[in-house]
Amino acid sequence: MKFLFDKDTWQEIYSSIRKNKTRTGITIIGVMWGIFLLVVLLGAAKGVENNFNKLFGDFATNSVFIWGQSTSKPFKGFQEGRQVALKIDDIEKIKQEVKGVELIAPRSQDGGLVIRKFQSGNFNISGDFPVLDKIQNKDLIYGRFINDNDIKEKKKVCVIEEEVYKQLFEKDEYPIGELVNINGINYKVVGLFKESQTIRLGDNIHIPFTTFQQVYNRGDNISWMIITGNAESSIVQIEKDAKLIIKNLHKIHPEDKRALGGINLGDMFKKITGFLIGMQFLTWFVGIATLIAGVFAIGNILLITVKERTKEIGIRRALGAKPWEIKRQIMLESVFLTSIAGAFGIIFGGLILMLIDATLGKGPDAALTNPTVDIPIVLIAALTLVVLGTLIGLIPAQTAVSIRPIEALREE
């Protein structure tokens, strides 16, 4: 390893590069572009992935939403166009008969005028069970969410969104225990939660489900439901099975596709995950292919260099230089060029990702979120580059030592 610290070794490398400035510069740019492209594309792919993860962040991704619409086919004496009203009993039937169901949250929703002192506003009022907090985790600032005791006793309590707080309360005022008037009825505030930055369900104020049904005279009707499957189950199959049970209970034609609306969050998430995997594969393929092309360019440059230095190599061999010393020098030059190109590529790639994050990664509508590349991946890319540089350096190095000194001395 002493040759690495030998001044003559590096002077020779410098002299070789200096003789072919333009050619060497273009070659370095080629390799640099390869690893630069790899870093930027991987960072951008990570930013897209982070954005999707943020979108689904506080929600159970293996979920489906189902609600009633109007029928499109007559069935068992009922005419087309009948409005389907989901019932609370549908929930128990789905729990019993659909395999793989982990959680179900029946929901009721309506609008209402909310007043506190001299402030007022129109907000969405949702009747909910405590299970909703397990499906969509509420980011509570103060207090708590609806609990089982609220449901059992039909309490007049509410959990309000931050936007409601801003309109009805003074800045820095503590809301827990305060009363707000919702459609003429007073409710005690027991919780304050942050507005969701991901999937928004129009929830401004939550009250106990049983209280909502009583106050709004909903009986056993519900607005819609959220079903969450366990990790081993297919949420697509759960949706099919749940809808079939609802159709049987409400006497809806089995082939009626309009009667029940639904959004399958799990299916969407699966497709997005597949897209992200494909994008990462394409990123690696393009980046590595560009990298290999650049490294081969370095090999070609060194082959030309060896050809130009044939006489010099012959003189060194005649003076007693051993073949492995010649080979070592050529390979070191190859590794040096690839390392320099790789370092610049990684640095410029990192700077571009910082620029992308500053311009496209800020705010609620950010196109990319924290576009970064993990340090181990960068180290693997750099190590791969060095290994490729070493391997490609073997070709011109072997060419150099295969030249017989007497023939090299005759070279003009």
Side-chain angles (χ1 to χ4, degrees):
M1 295 295 289
K2 289 182 179 180
F3 74 96
L4 289 175
F5 303 99
D6 190 347
K7 185 178 178 182
D8 292 338
T9 300
W10 295 104
Q11 279 183 340
E12 189 171 336
I13 291 174
Y14 173 72
S15 177
S16 176
I17 294 172
R18 189 178 167 187
K19 287 178 182 177
N20 303 283
K21 291 178 184 176
T22 305
R23 201 159 52 201
T24 304
I26 293 172
T27 305
I28 288 177
I29 290 172
V31 178
M32 183 183 75
W33 174 253
I35 199 161
F36 167 83
L37 198 64
L38 182 64
V39 169
V40 172
L41 288 176
L42 284 175
K46 186 68 174 179
V48 173
E49 182 182 351
N50 290 339
N51 213 34
F52 281 123
N53 289 336
K54 187 179 77 172
L55 178 64
F56 293 101
D58 54 10
F59 221 98
T61 53
N62 202 30
S63 301
V64 60
F65 308 152
I66 299 175
W67 60 87
Q69 299 181 153
S70 59
T71 59
S72 62
K73 293 183 178 182
F75 189 65
K76 290 188 177 182
F78 291 98
Q79 293 184 348
E80 175 188 345
R82 173 169 57 101
Q83 189 66 35
V84 178
L86 301 182
K87 306 288 185 180
I88 192 68
D89 292 339
D90 299 343
I91 303 298
E92 291 305 318
K93 202 70 174 175
I94 291 171
K95 282 181 180 178
Q96 293 170 10
E97 298 190 16
V98 178
K99 294 181 180 179
V101 172
E102 185 174 347
L103 302 168
I104 305 185
R107 308 200 65 200
S108 289
Q109 204 166 51
D110 208 333
L113 177 65
V114 184
I115 302 171
R116 181 177 181 270
K117 296 181 180 179
F118 300 105
Q119 305 296 326
S120 65
N122 288 294
F123 301 101
N124 288 326
I125 316 299
S126 301
D128 289 303
F129 283 93
V131 68
L132 179 68
D133 192 39
K134 295 180 181 178
I135 296 174
Q136 184 186 31
N137 184 36
K138 297 294 179 182
D139 188 1
L140 290 167
I141 302 172
Y142 297 117
R144 61 174 176 83
F145 194 64
I146 304 297
N147 62 29
D148 291 329
N149 195 44
D150 298 330
I151 298 293
K152 184 179 179 181
E153 298 183 11
K154 300 179 183 178
K155 287 187 176 182
K156 303 292 191 301
V157 296
C158 66
V159 182
I160 64 173
E161 187 185 44
E162 194 173 16
E163 184 61 32
V164 178
Y165 170 81
K166 289 177 182 177
Q167 290 194 38
L168 302 183
F169 289 82
E170 297 293 331
K171 186 178 180 181
D172 297 329
E173 186 177 359
Y174 187 67
I176 306 303
E178 296 293 324
L179 296 178
V180 294
N181 187 287
I182 304 174
N183 290 333
I185 299 174
N186 286 327
Y187 292 78
K188 183 164 71 173
V189 177
V190 295
L192 170 65
F193 65 96
K194 286 185 179 181
E195 176 185 356
S196 175
Q197 298 298 320
T198 58
I199 299 172
R200 302 205 61 190
L201 303 178
D203 301 327
N204 299 131
I205 299 176
H206 299 275
I207 65 174
F209 181 86
T210 49
T211 307
F212 186 100
Q213 299 299 93
Q214 184 181 63
V215 169
Y216 287 89
N217 195 27
R218 291 293 182 89
D220 61 348
N221 291 336
I222 63 174
S223 300
W224 52 295
M225 66 177 75
I226 307 175
I227 305 174
T228 298
N230 56 42
E232 296 78 27
S233 302
S234 166
I235 194 64
V236 174
Q237 188 60 47
I238 288 174
E239 179 185 10
K240 289 178 181 177
D241 294 343
K243 284 185 174 180
L244 184 60
I245 287 172
I246 295 170
K247 285 178 179 180
N248 290 335
L249 292 172
H250 292 264
K251 295 180 173 61
I252 301 169
H253 195 289
E255 301 300 320
D256 192 335
K257 298 186 182 298
R258 194 182 72 186
L260 298 173
I263 297 176
N264 197 312
L265 198 62
D267 190 39
M268 290 170 56
F269 188 76
K270 186 178 179 181
K271 289 176 181 176
I272 289 169
T273 302
F275 166 76
L276 291 173
I277 292 172
M279 187 170 66
Q280 286 183 342
F281 173 79
L282 182 63
T283 295
W284 276 103
F285 178 79
V286 171
I288 290 176
T290 310
L291 207 62
I292 291 173
V295 171
F296 270 107
I298 285 180
N300 289 332
I301 285 294
L302 291 176
L303 279 172
I304 294 170
T305 302
V306 167
K307 181 67 176 173
E308 292 175 347
R309 294 166 60 189
T310 300
K311 191 169 184 177
E312 175 194 330
I313 292 170
I315 293 171
R316 291 180 62 184
R317 292 288 305 277
L319 293 174
K322 297 177 181 178
W324 66 267
E325 290 177 336
I326 303 293
K327 186 183 289 189
R328 183 183 64 189
Q329 185 67 31
I330 302 297
M331 289 177 63
L332 180 60
E333 190 172 333
S334 175
V335 171
F336 175 75
L337 290 176
T338 51
S339 300
I340 290 293
F344 279 117
I346 291 169
I347 292 169
F348 288 135
L351 291 174
I352 291 297
L353 289 179
M354 290 172 63
L355 182 63
I356 290 173
D357 187 44
T359 54
L360 302 176
K362 304 299 181 185
D365 300 322
L368 301 173
T369 301
N370 191 24
T372 56
V373 181
D374 295 335
I375 295 297
I377 292 178
V378 174
L379 293 176
I380 289 170
L383 182 63
T384 302
L385 194 62
V386 171
V387 170
L388 287 174
T390 304
L391 293 175
I392 206 69
L394 285 171
I395 299 171
Q398 187 60 41
T399 302
V401 298
S402 66
I403 301 171
R404 294 175 62 187
I406 190 66
E407 292 175 357
L409 291 171
R410 290 173 182 167
E411 184 75 21
E412 291 296 334

